[in-house]
Amino acid sequence: MRIGLGYDVHALVATRPLILAGVTVPWDRGLDGHSDADVVAHAVADALLGAARAGDIGQLFPDSDPAYAGADSLKLLSQVAGHVRERGFDIHDVDVVIVAQAPKLSPYRDEMRANLASAMGIDPEQVGLKATTTEGLGALGRSEGIAASAAVLLEERCNC
Ligand code: MG
């Protein structure tokens, strides 16, 4: 078994849609970034890469590369999941925490789980997802950005 941890933060701006785990959440602000800035997909991808000891998404998809401008991060997550499988690992379990003061994300939880599971080729029951606030504390509490962290469990396939 291998465990992986991923974390990401993006700033909120008025000029972009808010995309979290592939869901466009209705709000007056969205996350800034080179890709679609889907902080959840990025955290999960980094957790997978960490568990597989395969670097990070900044190495795989550099933000200096125009190919990834506006990229659908669920597609990048699919590529990462494929990469991890090619290295001999099965994805067993994923758990995600989104830290956002607003908007309320619980109505989108199951759609987000389904999107992440589909991108990784696993069952939604293998994906946990919850959202929390910082009780108004700090930059995240002032809604200057949204953060996500993810933990994954991989199992190395046996060659016996
Ligand atoms: Mg990111």
Side-chain angles (χ1 to χ4, degrees):
M1 293 288 193
R2 293 277 194 90
I3 197 160
L5 181 66
Y7 180 75
D8 197 23
V9 189
H10 282 260
L12 282 160
V13 293
T15 51
R16 305 245 308 180
L18 178 59
I19 298 170
L20 294 171
V23 176
T24 302
V25 177
W27 206 33
D28 59 357
R29 277 165 280 174
L31 294 171
D32 200 16
H34 183 66
S35 65
D36 63 5
D38 186 334
V39 71
V40 180
H42 295 178
V44 174
D46 258 350
L48 289 172
L49 291 168
R53 315 293 187 256
D56 60 59
I57 53 169
Q59 289 175 313
L60 252 61
F61 312 111
D63 64 8
S64 54
D65 187 337
Y68 303 117
D72 175 348
S73 296
L74 283 184
K75 288 191 177 141
L76 304 184
L77 177 59
S78 276
Q79 285 184 48
V80 166
H83 190 59
V84 159
R85 282 201 181 84
E86 279 165 20
R87 291 175 78 103
F89 296 99
D90 289 327
I91 303 167
H92 265 267
D93 214 40
V94 178
D95 195 25
V96 177
V97 182
I98 304 171
V99 184
Q101 194 61 40
K104 194 166 177 52
L105 298 175
S106 54
Y108 310 102
R109 181 202 304 249
D110 288 342
E111 191 180 353
M112 290 179 181
R113 291 174 60 217
N115 285 347
L116 293 171
S118 167
M120 290 182 280
I122 60 176
D123 191 274
E125 284 303 311
Q126 293 171 275
V127 180
L129 186 142
K130 67 203 89 63
T132 188
T133 73
T134 64
E135 303 280 350
L137 294 171
L140 297 176
R142 293 188 296 271
S143 288
E144 293 173 17
I146 289 177
S149 57
V152 307
L153 189 66
L154 303 184
E155 183 174 14
E156 195 160 14
R157 279 192 295 277
C158 181
N159 292 319
C160 45

